[in-house]
């Protein structure tokens, strides 16, 4: 066993930890599904009392504020999976875990192609009142069947994938529970290009199904400013096999673009909480251009009937997103000791 992280806060000769998710590194899970694996510990130069072992789910998010936009990491769930035992000198011990992801956990890939969303599982070990953010592993989340059906319908209707990101804040009037939401930006087909520049799609999943929030960045007419329109729809999990999703989604889009009352995207989305980590960790990584979408993401162009996934797979997206995720986790590891 090669242990990934020597726990710096424990000092030289302290224990080390390696968390392995079932299915190997980057094992794929679904929103609301079970994340399982093993936390492998190896004792250092002396026996220590392991007070607790915790797993934190973290996400890279963007936030808008008076100075513009910035990025940071947010802990959106925390599980205590073990502890209350003594780890002997040089002893190796494995602690199994099974935890349930929040239903609103963002989707990070579609048909195996990364969307540019960065999620991670971070292991915290508490020994003698000292805590260390130890091992950090990427978390890969595939869409629920109803989410996949809706995304595929957009692709069949000719919409293209532009980018995806996580926005800190709350969408007013919804059942949103996490402190951020995912936006998937889609380019319109010719039939709608005269009416909208892009459509932003947000899924808010629950045990019953998903709330689907669509926002259209509308084109303005002559001497008329453009404005945003926002509508909400619902889809049950059991509807996947019984609804004509192409017709359903086309109806949603028609309703959206025909809706002339402006909701005002930022007012409706209600960034009603200060930017930061709900668990008290504040890690700011500088200014970020929302529409840049990260390396390679802006180059993705979907191919109509093949589906939105074709756009995700375009160009160098997959390789470049892997590099981006690696850089993010490396930076987070280096700054991990400052979180406490």
């Amino acid at each position: 066993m090669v242990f990934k992280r020597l726990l710096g806060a424990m000092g030289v000769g302290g224990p080390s930890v390696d968390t392995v998710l079932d299915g190997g590194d980057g094992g794929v899970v679904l929103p609301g599904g079970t994340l399982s694996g093993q936390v492998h510990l190896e004792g250092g130069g002396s026996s220590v009392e392991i007070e607790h072992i915790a797993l934190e789910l973290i996400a890279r998010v963007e936030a808008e504020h008076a100075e513009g936009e910035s990025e940071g990491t947010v802990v959106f769930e925390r599980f205590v999976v073990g502890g209350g035992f003594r780890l002997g000198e040089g002893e190796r011990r494995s602690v199994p875990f099974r935890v349930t992801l929040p239903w609103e956990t963002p989707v990070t890939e579609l048909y195996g192609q990364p969307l540019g969303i960065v999620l991670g599982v971070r292991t915290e070990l508490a020994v003698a009142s000292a805590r260390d953010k130890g091992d950090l592993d990427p978390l890969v989340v595939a869409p629920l069947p109803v989410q996949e059906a809706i995304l595929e319908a957009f692709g069949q209707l000719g919409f293209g994938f532009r980018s995806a990101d996580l926005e800190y804040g709350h969408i007013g009037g919804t059942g949103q529970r996490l402190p951020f939401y995912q936006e998937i930006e889609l380019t319109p087909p010719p039939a709608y290009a005269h009416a909208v520049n892009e459509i932003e799609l947000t899924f808010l999943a629950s045990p019953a199904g998903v709330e689907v929030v669509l926002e259209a960045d509308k084109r303005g007419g002559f001497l008329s400013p453009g404005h945003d329109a926002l509508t909400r729809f619902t889809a049950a999990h059991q509807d996947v096999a019984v609804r004509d999703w192409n017709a359903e989604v086309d109806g949603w889009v028609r309703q959206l673009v025909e809706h002339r009352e402006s909701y005002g995207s930022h007012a409706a989305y209600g960034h009603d909480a200060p930017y930061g980590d709900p668990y008290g960790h504040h890690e700011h990584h500088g200014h970020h251009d929302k529409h840049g979408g990260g390396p390679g993401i802006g180059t993705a162009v979907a191919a109509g009937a093949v589906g939105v996934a074709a756009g995700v797979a375009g160009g160098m997206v997959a390789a470049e997103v892997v590099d981006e995720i690696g850089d993010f986790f490396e930076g987070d590891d280096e700054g991990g000791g400052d979180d406490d």
Side-chain angles (χ1 to χ4, degrees):
M1 176 66 65
V2 177
F3 288 89
K4 295 183 178 180
R5 179 69 184 264
L6 183 64
L7 301 181
M10 311 305 175
V12 176
S16 56
V17 63
D18 179 25
T19 298
V20 178
L21 306 179
D22 284 348
D25 287 344
V28 179
V29 293
L30 299 179
T34 299
L35 179 68
S36 61
Q38 303 267 340
V39 178
H40 301 295
L41 303 172
E42 183 174 12
S46 61
S47 296
V48 294
E49 192 71 25
I50 305 297
E51 295 179 355
H52 73 248
I53 304 167
L55 301 179
E56 294 180 336
L57 304 184
I58 63 174
R60 188 187 66 184
V61 303
E62 300 176 4
E64 296 184 2
H65 43 76
E67 291 75 27
E69 293 182 347
S70 62
E71 286 185 327
T73 56
V74 169
V75 176
F76 64 96
E77 188 59 277
R78 189 173 188 272
F79 310 95
V80 175
V81 297
F85 61 87
R86 177 166 288 274
L87 184 68
E89 178 183 350
E91 178 187 356
R92 291 188 173 185
R93 180 182 294 212
S94 295
V95 178
F97 62 84
R98 288 178 60 85
V99 299
T100 301
L101 296 183
W103 280 95
E104 290 178 20
T105 299
V107 174
T108 68
E109 69 163 37
L110 180 61
Y111 300 132
Q113 299 297 326
L115 299 178
I117 300 298
V118 181
L119 301 181
V121 181
R122 184 166 57 192
T123 308
E124 177 188 273
L125 197 66
V127 177
S129 299
R131 297 185 182 186
D132 200 303
K133 308 295 185 184
D135 197 15
L136 180 60
D137 297 276
L139 178 62
V140 181
V141 182
L144 294 162
V146 66
Q147 294 171 324
E148 183 176 306
I150 292 169
L151 287 168
E152 179 61 22
F154 271 104
Q156 294 286 339
L157 293 170
F159 285 84
F161 174 82
R162 174 171 289 168
S163 68
D165 57 24
L166 304 181
E167 296 283 344
Y168 195 83
H170 190 273
I171 304 177
T174 68
Q176 180 185 340
R177 293 180 174 273
L178 293 186
F180 56 83
Y181 53 90
Q182 181 174 17
E183 285 185 343
I184 300 173
E185 298 180 0
L186 304 173
T187 58
Y192 294 110
H194 69 284
V196 297
N197 294 315
E198 68 179 25
I199 286 181
E200 294 178 345
L201 166 66
T202 294
F203 291 118
L204 298 174
S206 70
V210 293
E211 285 184 85
V212 182
V213 181
L214 297 180
E215 182 181 14
D217 178 11
K218 298 177 69 64
R219 295 184 186 275
F222 180 65
L223 298 181
S224 173
H227 64 280
D228 296 328
L230 182 148
T231 57
R232 301 174 181 86
F233 307 91
T234 59
H237 294 297
Q238 65 266 27
D239 289 345
V240 171
V242 298
R243 290 167 76 169
D244 181 342
W245 288 107
N246 282 15
E248 192 80 31
V249 170
D250 188 56
W252 293 350
V253 174
R254 290 180 184 276
Q255 182 175 333
L256 177 66
V257 299
E258 291 170 0
H259 181 54
R260 296 303 180 186
E261 179 182 0
S262 173
Y263 280 82
S265 61
H266 300 298
Y269 273 58
H271 296 261
D272 52 6
Y275 178 50
D277 189 321
Y279 291 93
H281 310 312
H282 298 276
E283 303 173 9
H284 298 278
H285 298 287
H287 183 78
H288 180 73
D289 180 2
K290 169 184 173 183
H291 295 288
I297 295 299
T299 66
V301 178
V306 179
V308 173
V312 179
M316 296 289 289
V317 171
E320 290 173 351
V321 168
V322 169
D323 290 342
E324 181 185 10
I325 291 173
D327 292 343
F328 169 76
F329 283 132
E330 180 180 354
D332 190 275
D333 264 349
E334 290 171 356
D338 297 332
D339 292 353
D340 298 328

